[in-house]
Amino acid sequence: MRIIDIRERTVEISRYGDPAVPSGGLTTSIVALTTDVVRHGRSVVGFGFSSFGRFGQGGLIRERFAPRLIAAGNVDPLEGWAAMMKGEKPGGHGERCVAVGTLDMALWDAAAKIAGLPLHELLRQWFGDRGNPVSVPVYASGGYAYPENDLARLKDELRRFQDTGYRRAKIKIGALPLARDIERVNTAAEVFAVPQSLAVDAMNSYAPEAAVAAAKALRPYRLMWFEDACDPLDFEGQAKVTAAYDASIASGEALFSVAEARLLDRHGGLRRDRDILLFDPVHCYGLPGYLQIVDAMETRGWKRSAFWPHGGHLFSLHAASALDLGGTEVNPSSFLPFGGLADGDTLSNGCASPPDLPGIGFESQPALDRLFRSLL
Ligand code: MG
């Protein structure tokens, strides 16, 4: 396929499903990548976005990476990725990895649409079908602290997750004093009570001593995992938290390169028999960069079941399905219209399947489809 046009727009997103709660200014980039390939009388267009948490990447996409893709001529997704990365020096990852990952998502969407396959099937063809089921274990992610009436609203949100069929959920901690967060954990555990069905995410907010104190306070709950305890690059701090916490630790969401992944493994004290790797397939330079991390960690003795990618959207769901990962996040009520499953899709036994449409299947989410098409 030849890329003939790339459009980008930076849009606001909110952690809260309720538009009345202030969004805090978070943004993401949406891109539409028009190809010269025609299917059913129309040009095939691939769509992508910057996943969640790292803001829009419009400058880098428009000035640096989109022109390289358009100049690259006839490319498949891996050749397109190589064209984007040409001349980029090692290190200094910043957020260029997010810009590349955004366009990489659109390349895969276009390639799968051209092949007439759901993305997970195309990825199985490209990277080896491991014979694993299409459906993937998932958890519902949310539970941000509400400015008012927090505990009651938290409980309502988790009940909605449970009523929808989710058997696992994750809530946020770290923004409030520890005693308040423990109250939130107690409230959440009234809904997701089974051991190992509730995880907490401190969003890298704790100073080193506070992270260890939180680990000690959380230890009796036998949570699904304790995520993002301290600064992502404070491997010494992570190692202290890991040593103070015998249940599962989850880490790696805010590391974007294979070099950083190796550092985490070498110095973070993580244990291959229980801990979880959260690397985001969009933020890590897209799928090719993510696969470098999966390969490196497998070589170091990790199993694919330890990978539960960050980013509760359809692209992560396809990746987790195709690559035989442990499971993935879903954002049923956050970061709309990007989060959640295909409209009307249900869970079975706590597992979800990617939409059975060519490409990623954003067309199965009408509000998101409208947003992407507004770029054209
Ligand atoms: Mg996190």
Side-chain angles (χ1 to χ4, degrees), residues 8-13 25-30 49-62 95 98-99 102:
E8 183 277 345
R9 191 161 79 235
T10 297
V11 297
E12 285 183 22
I13 47 172
L26 192 61
T27 60
T28 192
S29 279
I30 55 172
F49 74 102
S50 302
S51 192
F52 310 126
R54 291 285 147 186
F55 295 85
Q57 303 293 326
L60 283 167
I61 289 171
R62 285 194 300 270
E95 290 189 353
V98 182
T102 305

Side-chain angles (χ1 to χ4, degrees), residues 170 172 201 227-228 253:
K170 184 174 85 184
K172 303 297 184 182
D201 177 2
E227 169 173 332
D228 294 339
E253 165 188 330

Side-chain angles (χ1 to χ4, degrees), residues 133-195:
V134 171
S135 75
V136 178
V138 295
Y139 67 92
S141 191
Y144 290 90
Y146 290 93
E148 288 168 24
N149 207 9
D150 178 40
L151 293 181
R153 296 186 80 174
L154 174 67
K155 198 164 181 176
D156 283 351
E157 185 182 346
L158 293 171
R159 282 216 179 99
R160 282 197 300 278
F161 292 161
Q162 193 175 54
D163 291 346
T164 318
Y166 290 96
R167 296 193 173 177
R168 308 173 190 86
K170 184 174 85 184
I171 67 167
K172 303 297 184 182
I173 60 168
L176 301 170
L178 182 57
R180 287 273 313 279
D181 277 336
I182 295 298
E183 273 185 76
R184 305 188 89 243
V185 172
N186 285 327
T187 299
E190 287 173 27
V191 184
F192 285 90
V194 183

Side-chain angles (χ1 to χ4, degrees), residues 23-342:
S23 75
L26 192 61
T27 60
T28 192
S29 279
I30 55 172
V31 295
L33 184 153
T34 303
T35 72
D36 65 343
V37 180
V38 174
R39 290 281 183 274
H40 312 296
R42 290 162 71 176
S43 296
V44 173
V45 180
F47 296 115
F49 74 102
S50 302
S51 192
F52 310 126
R54 291 285 147 186
F55 295 85
Q57 303 293 326
L60 283 167
I61 289 171
R62 285 194 300 270
E63 292 171 14
R64 189 145 129 211
F65 296 110
R68 288 183 196 168
L69 257 187
I70 290 173
N74 209 25
V75 291
D76 66 29
L78 294 183
E79 291 162 345
W81 189 81
M84 286 194 283
M85 293 300 288
K86 190 148 191 254
E88 295 293 318
K89 287 180 164 180
H93 304 290
E95 290 189 353
R96 72 175 175 187
C97 45
V98 182
V100 171
T102 305
L103 292 167
D104 173 74
M105 188 194 294
L107 281 171
W108 286 109
D109 187 41
K113 283 171 174 165
I114 290 167
L117 295 172
L119 177 60
H120 73 90
E121 283 188 31
L122 184 76
L123 297 179
R124 284 168 198 259
Q125 285 185 5
W126 277 56
F127 301 112
D129 189 345
R130 298 161 63 92
N132 56 307
V134 171
S135 75
V136 178
V138 295
Y139 67 92
S141 191
Y144 290 90
Y146 290 93
E148 288 168 24
N149 207 9
D150 178 40
L151 293 181
R153 296 186 80 174
L154 174 67
K155 198 164 181 176
D156 283 351
E157 185 182 346
L158 293 171
R159 282 216 179 99
R160 282 197 300 278
F161 292 161
Q162 193 175 54
D163 291 346
T164 318
Y166 290 96
R167 296 193 173 177
R168 308 173 190 86
K170 184 174 85 184
I171 67 167
K172 303 297 184 182
I173 60 168
L176 301 170
L178 182 57
R180 287 273 313 279
D181 277 336
I182 295 298
E183 273 185 76
R184 305 188 89 243
V185 172
N186 285 327
T187 299
E190 287 173 27
V191 184
F192 285 90
V194 183
Q196 311 251 323
S197 72
L198 178 70
V200 297
D201 177 2
M203 297 186 287
N204 305 112
S205 61
Y206 289 126
E209 304 76 32
V212 171
K216 288 178 177 166
L218 292 167
R219 196 163 51 184
Y221 288 90
R222 310 303 303 168
L223 297 168
M224 188 164 84
W225 65 65
F226 175 24
E227 169 173 332
D228 294 339
C230 57
D231 187 282
L233 291 168
D234 180 7
F235 302 122
E236 189 184 5
Q238 178 65 67
K240 286 180 182 161
V241 170
T242 312
Y245 192 77
D246 53 355
S248 297
I249 289 285
S251 190
E253 165 188 330
L255 301 177
F256 304 134
S257 67
V258 68
E260 292 165 322
R262 288 197 188 98
L263 287 172
L264 173 67
D265 187 41
R266 197 170 294 139
H267 302 295
L270 299 184
R271 302 147 301 191
R272 286 156 178 67
D273 65 343
R274 73 196 82 164
D275 293 331
I276 300 295
L277 303 172
L278 300 166
F279 305 101
D280 183 316
V282 184
H283 292 170
C284 295
Y285 292 92
L287 208 58
Y290 187 74
L291 284 166
Q292 289 175 1
I293 293 175
V294 172
D295 286 350
M297 298 304 254
E298 272 192 308
T299 302
R300 299 174 72 87
W302 285 86
K303 292 198 171 67
R304 290 198 177 201
S305 56
F307 285 81
W308 283 69
H310 170 263
H313 45 69
L314 296 180
F315 185 73
S316 285
L317 188 59
H318 279 282
S321 172
L323 303 178
D324 194 16
L325 308 181
T328 193
E329 179 173 26
V330 176
N331 280 293
S333 52
S334 304
F335 309 115
L336 300 176
F338 298 93
L341 304 170

